[in-house]
Amino acid sequence: MDSRELAQFIEARDGISKPWLLVLLRLTKLKERKDTTPHEIYMAELSALHQELMGLGEWWVGNENELLNP
């Protein structure tokens, strides 16, 4: 799934308020630019996304059924 398709999926599922989906979209866009982005910049952006994802904490706890059984 490319970033355009993922964005449409997120919009269709009303996922704009779900930060983990937005991180996934940003990660997908970064992956698409990997071949044209200098390695140092790519790694810095990847590290920033990782930190942001880790900062979300255990957001999935209590929502397993909704998230794992769409």
Side-chain angles (χ1 to χ4, degrees):
M1 183 178 302
D2 66 16
S3 61
R4 185 184 53 78
E5 293 169 327
L6 181 56
Q8 290 173 344
F9 172 83
I10 291 170
E11 187 176 347
R13 296 258 180 154
D14 198 27
I16 197 73
S17 64
K18 298 174 181 170
W20 62 92
L21 290 177
L22 299 179
V23 170
L24 179 58
L25 178 60
R26 289 174 54 208
L27 181 60
T28 302
K29 286 180 170 249
L30 179 61
K31 183 179 174 184
E32 291 172 353
R33 297 189 338 252
K34 183 177 183 180
D35 294 335
T36 59
T37 303
H39 181 72
E40 297 79 19
I41 293 173
Y42 177 82
M43 292 307 294
E45 290 183 25
L46 184 60
S47 177
L49 282 171
H50 179 261
Q51 285 298 108
E52 188 173 329
L53 184 61
M54 293 298 104
L56 294 176
E58 294 184 355
W59 51 266
W60 49 268
V61 173
N63 295 313
E64 295 90 349
N65 284 335
E66 175 191 348
L67 299 169
L68 302 176
N69 302 311

